[in-house]
Amino acid sequence: MSYFSTVPQAPPDGILKLSVLSRADSDPSKVDLGVGAYRDDNGKPWVLPVVREAERRLNEDPNYNHEYMGVGGLPALTDGAQQLIFGNNSPAIGQGRVYTIQTISGTGANMVAAVFLKQFKRPADAAVYISKPTWGNHRSIFETAGHQVLEYRYCNYETLTLDIDGMLDDMRSAPKGQIFVLHACAHNPTGIDPTEEQWQQIADVMSERGHFPFFDCAYQGFATGDVDRDAYAIRLFVDRGFELLVAESFAKNMGLYGERTGCLHAVCQSSEVIPQVSSQLNRLSRATISTASAYGAKIAATVLQDPRLYEEWLQSMQDMSQRIKTMRDALRDKLVALGTPGSWDHVSQQIGMFSFTGLSKLQVDTLRNQYHLYMTDDGRISVAGLNSHNIDYVAQSIDAVVRSS
């Protein structure tokens, strides 16, 4: 008998399964709306000009090497990432209350945070609350780390808007001192974000109940094209005196998907506890990845630390954000022009890479099997997969399926 004979089969990952199905489909009309990566108007990956320039500089640097980095990562990256998330004039940074460690993109930041919180959360039996719905990996990460994972209401599935009352009620009814995973901007998978006023309400309830905020920030600058606006919620909570953790990814906003470049930030009440917190985060990182990867970190650091490249990067994010918004409006307008049953305003009102269309699983299956349109079972589409060449076909296919349902 095999040593591994009692290992159960893991459930398939929905996104990875969808990617396999899409790659196997050779139909010329195929449109992949599942992949969470930016595409240009020709449906191709886009390497940002600042990334190409940073790579050129690295390749031409006679001192460039492949040596190990320190356990905490590349200081030029972690320092630049702090400034990006918390702001150039952040009192928390100035007071030495922030520690940042480089991670394997946002997923690695989530995992390090999950293990850290499992070991040191107070109360020790605090559960982790994730939004319903959320990024498919959140539950897996926190359960793998040993947490009890519960859900709080987020999406109103009738109107496809934020269920702010349900969200706040769930926060109030949860035992004191729970951990809440919050999407800083461009909520995945819904594209539904709280307003600034609603974020203030969320902070009020979190403070009243003594909950601990964990922000997952994968789309800063990519969501609205404005890095400060996209960081509003995080900075609000820091200004309100919360201790918190922030997972940050440079996959989407710099296009460094495969380079796995990210950071985990810890904001503490006092600089006095930074030595303990940093030592434990470094220990966890050392135990899992030893040291973080260098290449993507050096690219991102070059962009963050060079004023000219940084300004050009901000413009590139605005360009990507604007193309996404243009495609949102185009899809809504075409569905309205076709007279597709239902309201489609939510497609334009949502934000970021994804749109929660409201299509049923049966409709999604029909679109995949008959029209070669690939999206997740819950009807989430990557708006980045839309372009001027396929938008008519996508709208017409959705119209046909909705009418026949």
PDB file of all heavy atoms in Angstrom, residues 111-126 128 142 145-147 179 245 276-277 279-285 287-288:
ATOM      1  N   MET A 111      -0.495  34.449   3.023  1.00  0.00           N
ATOM      2  CA  MET A 111      -0.134  33.230   3.744  1.00  0.00           C
ATOM      3  C   MET A 111       0.732  33.537   4.955  1.00  0.00           C
ATOM      4  O   MET A 111       0.516  32.972   6.043  1.00  0.00           O
ATOM      5  CB  MET A 111       0.597  32.261   2.803  1.00  0.00           C
ATOM      6  CG  MET A 111       0.718  30.849   3.358  1.00  0.00           C
ATOM      7  SD  MET A 111      -0.897  30.018   3.430  1.00  0.00           S
ATOM      8  CE  MET A 111      -0.706  29.002   4.887  1.00  0.00           C
ATOM      9  N   VAL A 112       1.721  34.405   4.807  1.00  0.00           N
ATOM     10  CA  VAL A 112       2.558  34.784   5.950  1.00  0.00           C
ATOM     11  C   VAL A 112       1.693  35.425   7.029  1.00  0.00           C
ATOM     12  O   VAL A 112       1.836  35.132   8.226  1.00  0.00           O
ATOM     13  CB  VAL A 112       3.691  35.730   5.513  1.00  0.00           C
ATOM     14  CG1 VAL A 112       4.438  36.279   6.733  1.00  0.00           C
ATOM     15  CG2 VAL A 112       4.666  35.012   4.593  1.00  0.00           C
ATOM     16  N   ALA A 113       0.787  36.298   6.620  1.00  0.00           N
ATOM     17  CA  ALA A 113      -0.105  36.944   7.578  1.00  0.00           C
ATOM     18  C   ALA A 113      -0.998  35.922   8.278  1.00  0.00           C
ATOM     19  O   ALA A 113      -1.230  36.009   9.495  1.00  0.00           O
ATOM     20  CB  ALA A 113      -0.962  37.992   6.871  1.00  0.00           C
ATOM     21  N   ALA A 114      -1.509  34.954   7.520  1.00  0.00           N
ATOM     22  CA  ALA A 114      -2.404  33.947   8.094  1.00  0.00           C
ATOM     23  C   ALA A 114      -1.693  33.126   9.161  1.00  0.00           C
ATOM     24  O   ALA A 114      -2.246  32.864  10.243  1.00  0.00           O
ATOM     25  CB  ALA A 114      -2.940  33.045   6.990  1.00  0.00           C
ATOM     26  N   VAL A 115      -0.463  32.710   8.887  1.00  0.00           N
ATOM     27  CA  VAL A 115       0.292  31.921   9.856  1.00  0.00           C
ATOM     28  C   VAL A 115       0.668  32.781  11.068  1.00  0.00           C
ATOM     29  O   VAL A 115       0.575  32.340  12.220  1.00  0.00           O
ATOM     30  CB  VAL A 115       1.546  31.306   9.206  1.00  0.00           C
ATOM     31  CG1 VAL A 115       2.380  30.551  10.238  1.00  0.00           C
ATOM     32  CG2 VAL A 115       1.155  30.381   8.061  1.00  0.00           C
ATOM     33  N   PHE A 116       1.086  34.010  10.812  1.00  0.00           N
ATOM     34  CA  PHE A 116       1.433  34.928  11.895  1.00  0.00           C
ATOM     35  C   PHE A 116       0.237  35.150  12.822  1.00  0.00           C
ATOM     36  O   PHE A 116       0.353  35.083  14.060  1.00  0.00           O
ATOM     37  CB  PHE A 116       1.908  36.250  11.295  1.00  0.00           C
ATOM     38  CG  PHE A 116       2.200  37.330  12.300  1.00  0.00           C
ATOM     39  CD1 PHE A 116       3.392  37.334  13.003  1.00  0.00           C
ATOM     40  CD2 PHE A 116       1.288  38.347  12.528  1.00  0.00           C
ATOM     41  CE1 PHE A 116       3.675  38.339  13.928  1.00  0.00           C
ATOM     42  CE2 PHE A 116       1.554  39.352  13.449  1.00  0.00           C
ATOM     43  CZ  PHE A 116       2.748  39.344  14.156  1.00  0.00           C
ATOM     44  N   LEU A 117      -0.925  35.410  12.236  1.00  0.00           N
ATOM     45  CA  LEU A 117      -2.122  35.649  13.045  1.00  0.00           C
ATOM     46  C   LEU A 117      -2.550  34.395  13.798  1.00  0.00           C
ATOM     47  O   LEU A 117      -3.029  34.483  14.938  1.00  0.00           O
ATOM     48  CB  LEU A 117      -3.262  36.155  12.151  1.00  0.00           C
ATOM     49  CG  LEU A 117      -3.099  37.582  11.614  1.00  0.00           C
ATOM     50  CD1 LEU A 117      -4.161  37.891  10.570  1.00  0.00           C
ATOM     51  CD2 LEU A 117      -3.167  38.600  12.756  1.00  0.00           C
ATOM     52  N   LYS A 118      -2.390  33.246  13.206  1.00  0.00           N
ATOM     53  CA  LYS A 118      -2.743  32.002  13.895  1.00  0.00           C
ATOM     54  C   LYS A 118      -1.915  31.842  15.166  1.00  0.00           C
ATOM     55  O   LYS A 118      -2.418  31.390  16.200  1.00  0.00           O
ATOM     56  CB  LYS A 118      -2.527  30.811  12.961  1.00  0.00           C
ATOM     57  CG  LYS A 118      -2.795  29.446  13.605  1.00  0.00           C
ATOM     58  CD  LYS A 118      -4.224  29.334  14.112  1.00  0.00           C
ATOM     59  CE  LYS A 118      -4.468  27.962  14.764  1.00  0.00           C
ATOM     60  NZ  LYS A 118      -5.823  27.879  15.372  1.00  0.00           N
ATOM     61  N   GLN A 119      -0.673  32.250  15.112  1.00  0.00           N
ATOM     62  CA  GLN A 119       0.212  32.084  16.266  1.00  0.00           C
ATOM     63  C   GLN A 119       0.015  33.161  17.322  1.00  0.00           C
ATOM     64  O   GLN A 119       0.204  32.900  18.516  1.00  0.00           O
ATOM     65  CB  GLN A 119       1.669  32.089  15.792  1.00  0.00           C
ATOM     66  CG  GLN A 119       2.041  30.896  14.919  1.00  0.00           C
ATOM     67  CD  GLN A 119       3.499  30.910  14.504  1.00  0.00           C
ATOM     68  OE1 GLN A 119       4.266  31.771  14.927  1.00  0.00           O
ATOM     69  NE2 GLN A 119       3.892  29.961  13.663  1.00  0.00           N
ATOM     70  N   PHE A 120      -0.397  34.373  16.906  1.00  0.00           N
ATOM     71  CA  PHE A 120      -0.358  35.483  17.852  1.00  0.00           C
ATOM     72  C   PHE A 120      -1.677  36.249  17.993  1.00  0.00           C
ATOM     73  O   PHE A 120      -1.709  37.278  18.687  1.00  0.00           O
ATOM     74  CB  PHE A 120       0.755  36.464  17.449  1.00  0.00           C
ATOM     75  CG  PHE A 120       2.106  35.815  17.368  1.00  0.00           C
ATOM     76  CD1 PHE A 120       2.729  35.617  16.137  1.00  0.00           C
ATOM     77  CD2 PHE A 120       2.753  35.369  18.511  1.00  0.00           C
ATOM     78  CE1 PHE A 120       3.975  35.015  16.057  1.00  0.00           C
ATOM     79  CE2 PHE A 120       3.994  34.756  18.443  1.00  0.00           C
ATOM     80  CZ  PHE A 120       4.608  34.573  17.219  1.00  0.00           C
ATOM     81  N   LYS A 121      -2.757  35.807  17.371  1.00  0.00           N
ATOM     82  CA  LYS A 121      -4.018  36.551  17.450  1.00  0.00           C
ATOM     83  C   LYS A 121      -4.565  36.547  18.877  1.00  0.00           C
ATOM     84  O   LYS A 121      -4.345  35.614  19.657  1.00  0.00           O
ATOM     85  CB  LYS A 121      -5.044  35.981  16.467  1.00  0.00           C
ATOM     86  CG  LYS A 121      -5.456  34.539  16.748  1.00  0.00           C
ATOM     87  CD  LYS A 121      -6.392  34.034  15.666  1.00  0.00           C
ATOM     88  CE  LYS A 121      -6.758  32.561  15.872  1.00  0.00           C
ATOM     89  NZ  LYS A 121      -7.659  32.061  14.827  1.00  0.00           N
ATOM     90  N   ARG A 122      -5.281  37.625  19.171  1.00  0.00           N
ATOM     91  CA  ARG A 122      -5.945  37.753  20.459  1.00  0.00           C
ATOM     92  C   ARG A 122      -7.389  38.195  20.232  1.00  0.00           C
ATOM     93  O   ARG A 122      -7.588  39.253  19.599  1.00  0.00           O
ATOM     94  CB  ARG A 122      -5.218  38.771  21.347  1.00  0.00           C
ATOM     95  CG  ARG A 122      -3.806  38.369  21.741  1.00  0.00           C
ATOM     96  CD  ARG A 122      -3.209  39.351  22.736  1.00  0.00           C
ATOM     97  NE  ARG A 122      -3.230  40.731  22.228  1.00  0.00           N
ATOM     98  CZ  ARG A 122      -3.034  41.810  22.996  1.00  0.00           C
ATOM     99  NH1 ARG A 122      -2.825  41.677  24.283  1.00  0.00           N
ATOM    100  NH2 ARG A 122      -3.044  43.012  22.464  1.00  0.00           N
ATOM    101  N   PRO A 123      -8.370  37.434  20.712  1.00  0.00           N
ATOM    102  CA  PRO A 123      -8.260  36.173  21.452  1.00  0.00           C
ATOM    103  C   PRO A 123      -7.760  35.038  20.560  1.00  0.00           C
ATOM    104  O   PRO A 123      -7.872  35.111  19.332  1.00  0.00           O
ATOM    105  CB  PRO A 123      -9.682  35.921  21.936  1.00  0.00           C
ATOM    106  CG  PRO A 123     -10.544  36.610  20.930  1.00  0.00           C
ATOM    107  CD  PRO A 123      -9.786  37.833  20.514  1.00  0.00           C
ATOM    108  N   ALA A 124      -7.237  34.017  21.190  1.00  0.00           N
ATOM    109  CA  ALA A 124      -6.623  32.915  20.453  1.00  0.00           C
ATOM    110  C   ALA A 124      -7.624  32.154  19.598  1.00  0.00           C
ATOM    111  O   ALA A 124      -7.234  31.483  18.637  1.00  0.00           O
ATOM    112  CB  ALA A 124      -5.929  31.959  21.423  1.00  0.00           C
ATOM    113  N   ASP A 125      -8.916  32.245  19.946  1.00  0.00           N
ATOM    114  CA  ASP A 125      -9.936  31.531  19.170  1.00  0.00           C
ATOM    115  C   ASP A 125     -10.654  32.441  18.181  1.00  0.00           C
ATOM    116  O   ASP A 125     -11.712  32.089  17.648  1.00  0.00           O
ATOM    117  CB  ASP A 125     -10.954  30.865  20.099  1.00  0.00           C
ATOM    118  CG  ASP A 125     -11.729  31.877  20.948  1.00  0.00           C
ATOM    119  OD1 ASP A 125     -11.362  33.074  20.952  1.00  0.00           O
ATOM    120  OD2 ASP A 125     -12.701  31.466  21.609  1.00  0.00           O
ATOM    121  N   ALA A 126     -10.098  33.613  17.921  1.00  0.00           N
ATOM    122  CA  ALA A 126     -10.735  34.534  16.966  1.00  0.00           C
ATOM    123  C   ALA A 126     -10.844  33.871  15.597  1.00  0.00           C
ATOM    124  O   ALA A 126      -9.920  33.203  15.127  1.00  0.00           O
ATOM    125  CB  ALA A 126      -9.934  35.829  16.857  1.00  0.00           C
ATOM    126  N   VAL A 128     -11.579  34.132  11.369  1.00  0.00           N
ATOM    127  CA  VAL A 128     -11.296  35.029  10.252  1.00  0.00           C
ATOM    128  C   VAL A 128     -12.564  35.143   9.412  1.00  0.00           C
ATOM    129  O   VAL A 128     -13.122  34.130   8.964  1.00  0.00           O
ATOM    130  CB  VAL A 128     -10.135  34.499   9.393  1.00  0.00           C
ATOM    131  CG1 VAL A 128      -9.990  35.332   8.119  1.00  0.00           C
ATOM    132  CG2 VAL A 128      -8.832  34.516  10.186  1.00  0.00           C
ATOM    133  N   PHE A 142      -6.466  30.796   4.693  1.00  0.00           N
ATOM    134  CA  PHE A 142      -6.674  30.923   6.132  1.00  0.00           C
ATOM    135  C   PHE A 142      -7.063  29.597   6.779  1.00  0.00           C
ATOM    136  O   PHE A 142      -6.679  29.342   7.926  1.00  0.00           O
ATOM    137  CB  PHE A 142      -7.699  32.020   6.416  1.00  0.00           C
ATOM    138  CG  PHE A 142      -7.128  33.405   6.253  1.00  0.00           C
ATOM    139  CD1 PHE A 142      -7.273  34.098   5.057  1.00  0.00           C
ATOM    140  CD2 PHE A 142      -6.413  33.992   7.275  1.00  0.00           C
ATOM    141  CE1 PHE A 142      -6.717  35.360   4.895  1.00  0.00           C
ATOM    142  CE2 PHE A 142      -5.858  35.260   7.125  1.00  0.00           C
ATOM    143  CZ  PHE A 142      -6.009  35.948   5.933  1.00  0.00           C
ATOM    144  N   ALA A 145      -3.899  27.636   7.225  1.00  0.00           N
ATOM    145  CA  ALA A 145      -3.135  28.123   8.378  1.00  0.00           C
ATOM    146  C   ALA A 145      -3.768  27.728   9.708  1.00  0.00           C
ATOM    147  O   ALA A 145      -3.174  27.977  10.759  1.00  0.00           O
ATOM    148  CB  ALA A 145      -2.995  29.635   8.297  1.00  0.00           C
ATOM    149  N   GLY A 146      -4.953  27.139   9.659  1.00  0.00           N
ATOM    150  CA  GLY A 146      -5.576  26.630  10.880  1.00  0.00           C
ATOM    151  C   GLY A 146      -6.656  27.496  11.475  1.00  0.00           C
ATOM    152  O   GLY A 146      -7.128  27.237  12.590  1.00  0.00           O
ATOM    153  N   HIS A 147      -7.107  28.524  10.753  1.00  0.00           N
ATOM    154  CA  HIS A 147      -8.157  29.401  11.266  1.00  0.00           C
ATOM    155  C   HIS A 147      -9.546  28.824  10.997  1.00  0.00           C
ATOM    156  O   HIS A 147      -9.763  28.127   9.994  1.00  0.00           O
ATOM    157  CB  HIS A 147      -8.087  30.775  10.599  1.00  0.00           C
ATOM    158  CG  HIS A 147      -6.864  31.564  10.892  1.00  0.00           C
ATOM    159  ND1 HIS A 147      -6.724  32.344  12.019  1.00  0.00           N
ATOM    160  CD2 HIS A 147      -5.702  31.702  10.198  1.00  0.00           C
ATOM    161  CE1 HIS A 147      -5.542  32.927  12.002  1.00  0.00           C
ATOM    162  NE2 HIS A 147      -4.894  32.561  10.911  1.00  0.00           N
ATOM    163  N   ILE A 179     -11.118  38.776  13.267  1.00  0.00           N
ATOM    164  CA  ILE A 179     -10.262  39.249  12.178  1.00  0.00           C
ATOM    165  C   ILE A 179     -11.113  39.371  10.915  1.00  0.00           C
ATOM    166  O   ILE A 179     -11.764  38.394  10.511  1.00  0.00           O
ATOM    167  CB  ILE A 179      -9.090  38.285  11.930  1.00  0.00           C
ATOM    168  CG1 ILE A 179      -8.217  38.177  13.190  1.00  0.00           C
ATOM    169  CG2 ILE A 179      -8.259  38.736  10.733  1.00  0.00           C
ATOM    170  CD1 ILE A 179      -7.275  36.987  13.170  1.00  0.00           C
ATOM    171  N   LEU A 245      -2.755  44.671   9.320  1.00  0.00           N
ATOM    172  CA  LEU A 245      -1.848  44.076   8.348  1.00  0.00           C
ATOM    173  C   LEU A 245      -2.363  44.400   6.956  1.00  0.00           C
ATOM    174  O   LEU A 245      -3.578  44.477   6.727  1.00  0.00           O
ATOM    175  CB  LEU A 245      -1.765  42.564   8.523  1.00  0.00           C
ATOM    176  CG  LEU A 245      -1.151  42.029   9.822  1.00  0.00           C
ATOM    177  CD1 LEU A 245      -1.251  40.508   9.869  1.00  0.00           C
ATOM    178  CD2 LEU A 245       0.301  42.464   9.958  1.00  0.00           C
ATOM    179  N   GLN A 276       9.768  42.863  17.956  1.00  0.00           N
ATOM    180  CA  GLN A 276       9.161  41.542  18.121  1.00  0.00           C
ATOM    181  C   GLN A 276       8.400  41.116  16.859  1.00  0.00           C
ATOM    182  O   GLN A 276       8.532  39.989  16.382  1.00  0.00           O
ATOM    183  CB  GLN A 276       8.195  41.523  19.317  1.00  0.00           C
ATOM    184  CG  GLN A 276       8.840  41.799  20.652  1.00  0.00           C
ATOM    185  CD  GLN A 276       8.626  43.236  21.094  1.00  0.00           C
ATOM    186  OE1 GLN A 276       9.226  44.162  20.548  1.00  0.00           O
ATOM    187  NE2 GLN A 276       7.773  43.429  22.094  1.00  0.00           N
ATOM    188  N   VAL A 277       7.584  42.048  16.347  1.00  0.00           N
ATOM    189  CA  VAL A 277       6.772  41.725  15.167  1.00  0.00           C
ATOM    190  C   VAL A 277       7.664  41.410  13.970  1.00  0.00           C
ATOM    191  O   VAL A 277       7.459  40.414  13.262  1.00  0.00           O
ATOM    192  CB  VAL A 277       5.818  42.899  14.842  1.00  0.00           C
ATOM    193  CG1 VAL A 277       5.132  42.677  13.496  1.00  0.00           C
ATOM    194  CG2 VAL A 277       4.780  43.061  15.948  1.00  0.00           C
ATOM    195  N   SER A 279      10.728  40.362  13.945  1.00  0.00           N
ATOM    196  CA  SER A 279      11.478  39.115  14.138  1.00  0.00           C
ATOM    197  C   SER A 279      10.631  37.899  13.819  1.00  0.00           C
ATOM    198  O   SER A 279      11.112  36.929  13.216  1.00  0.00           O
ATOM    199  CB  SER A 279      12.009  39.025  15.570  1.00  0.00           C
ATOM    200  OG  SER A 279      10.953  38.840  16.513  1.00  0.00           O
ATOM    201  N   GLN A 280       9.352  37.945  14.195  1.00  0.00           N
ATOM    202  CA  GLN A 280       8.477  36.805  13.935  1.00  0.00           C
ATOM    203  C   GLN A 280       8.103  36.701  12.460  1.00  0.00           C
ATOM    204  O   GLN A 280       8.044  35.598  11.898  1.00  0.00           O
ATOM    205  CB  GLN A 280       7.210  36.898  14.802  1.00  0.00           C
ATOM    206  CG  GLN A 280       7.447  36.725  16.290  1.00  0.00           C
ATOM    207  CD  GLN A 280       7.919  35.328  16.649  1.00  0.00           C
ATOM    208  OE1 GLN A 280       7.812  34.386  15.846  1.00  0.00           O
ATOM    209  NE2 GLN A 280       8.443  35.171  17.862  1.00  0.00           N
ATOM    210  N   LEU A 281       7.866  37.834  11.803  1.00  0.00           N
ATOM    211  CA  LEU A 281       7.580  37.798  10.368  1.00  0.00           C
ATOM    212  C   LEU A 281       8.803  37.312   9.595  1.00  0.00           C
ATOM    213  O   LEU A 281       8.681  36.518   8.653  1.00  0.00           O
ATOM    214  CB  LEU A 281       7.146  39.181   9.877  1.00  0.00           C
ATOM    215  CG  LEU A 281       5.770  39.660  10.347  1.00  0.00           C
ATOM    216  CD1 LEU A 281       5.521  41.096   9.914  1.00  0.00           C
ATOM    217  CD2 LEU A 281       4.661  38.747   9.824  1.00  0.00           C
ATOM    218  N   ASN A 282       9.978  37.757   9.987  1.00  0.00           N
ATOM    219  CA  ASN A 282      11.204  37.284   9.344  1.00  0.00           C
ATOM    220  C   ASN A 282      11.396  35.787   9.558  1.00  0.00           C
ATOM    221  O   ASN A 282      11.826  35.065   8.645  1.00  0.00           O
ATOM    222  CB  ASN A 282      12.417  38.044   9.891  1.00  0.00           C
ATOM    223  CG  ASN A 282      12.472  39.482   9.423  1.00  0.00           C
ATOM    224  OD1 ASN A 282      11.758  39.876   8.502  1.00  0.00           O
ATOM    225  ND2 ASN A 282      13.303  40.278  10.067  1.00  0.00           N
ATOM    226  N   ARG A 283      11.086  35.322  10.765  1.00  0.00           N
ATOM    227  CA  ARG A 283      11.218  33.891  11.064  1.00  0.00           C
ATOM    228  C   ARG A 283      10.295  33.057  10.181  1.00  0.00           C
ATOM    229  O   ARG A 283      10.702  32.023   9.633  1.00  0.00           O
ATOM    230  CB  ARG A 283      10.897  33.635  12.537  1.00  0.00           C
ATOM    231  CG  ARG A 283      11.004  32.162  12.966  1.00  0.00           C
ATOM    232  CD  ARG A 283      10.550  31.981  14.398  1.00  0.00           C
ATOM    233  NE  ARG A 283       9.142  32.308  14.570  1.00  0.00           N
ATOM    234  CZ  ARG A 283       8.139  31.453  14.327  1.00  0.00           C
ATOM    235  NH1 ARG A 283       8.404  30.229  13.869  1.00  0.00           N
ATOM    236  NH2 ARG A 283       6.896  31.815  14.525  1.00  0.00           N
ATOM    237  N   LEU A 284       9.053  33.519  10.022  1.00  0.00           N
ATOM    238  CA  LEU A 284       8.096  32.788   9.190  1.00  0.00           C
ATOM    239  C   LEU A 284       8.540  32.786   7.732  1.00  0.00           C
ATOM    240  O   LEU A 284       8.424  31.770   7.033  1.00  0.00           O
ATOM    241  CB  LEU A 284       6.703  33.411   9.317  1.00  0.00           C
ATOM    242  CG  LEU A 284       5.995  33.216  10.659  1.00  0.00           C
ATOM    243  CD1 LEU A 284       4.712  34.024  10.697  1.00  0.00           C
ATOM    244  CD2 LEU A 284       5.715  31.743  10.894  1.00  0.00           C
ATOM    245  N   SER A 285       9.024  33.926   7.267  1.00  0.00           N
ATOM    246  CA  SER A 285       9.494  33.995   5.887  1.00  0.00           C
ATOM    247  C   SER A 285      10.687  33.075   5.674  1.00  0.00           C
ATOM    248  O   SER A 285      10.768  32.358   4.679  1.00  0.00           O
ATOM    249  CB  SER A 285       9.862  35.437   5.537  1.00  0.00           C
ATOM    250  OG  SER A 285      10.295  35.538   4.199  1.00  0.00           O
ATOM    251  N   ALA A 287      11.352  30.405   7.240  1.00  0.00           N
ATOM    252  CA  ALA A 287      10.930  29.005   7.319  1.00  0.00           C
ATOM    253  C   ALA A 287      10.206  28.536   6.065  1.00  0.00           C
ATOM    254  O   ALA A 287      10.139  27.331   5.797  1.00  0.00           O
ATOM    255  CB  ALA A 287      10.030  28.802   8.535  1.00  0.00           C
ATOM    256  N   THR A 288       9.667  29.469   5.291  1.00  0.00           N
ATOM    257  CA  THR A 288       8.879  29.076   4.122  1.00  0.00           C
ATOM    258  C   THR A 288       9.605  29.299   2.796  1.00  0.00           C
ATOM    259  O   THR A 288       9.581  28.430   1.926  1.00  0.00           O
ATOM    260  CB  THR A 288       7.542  29.837   4.099  1.00  0.00           C
ATOM    261  OG1 THR A 288       7.795  31.250   4.228  1.00  0.00           O
ATOM    262  CG2 THR A 288       6.631  29.388   5.235  1.00  0.00           C
TER     263      THR A 288
END
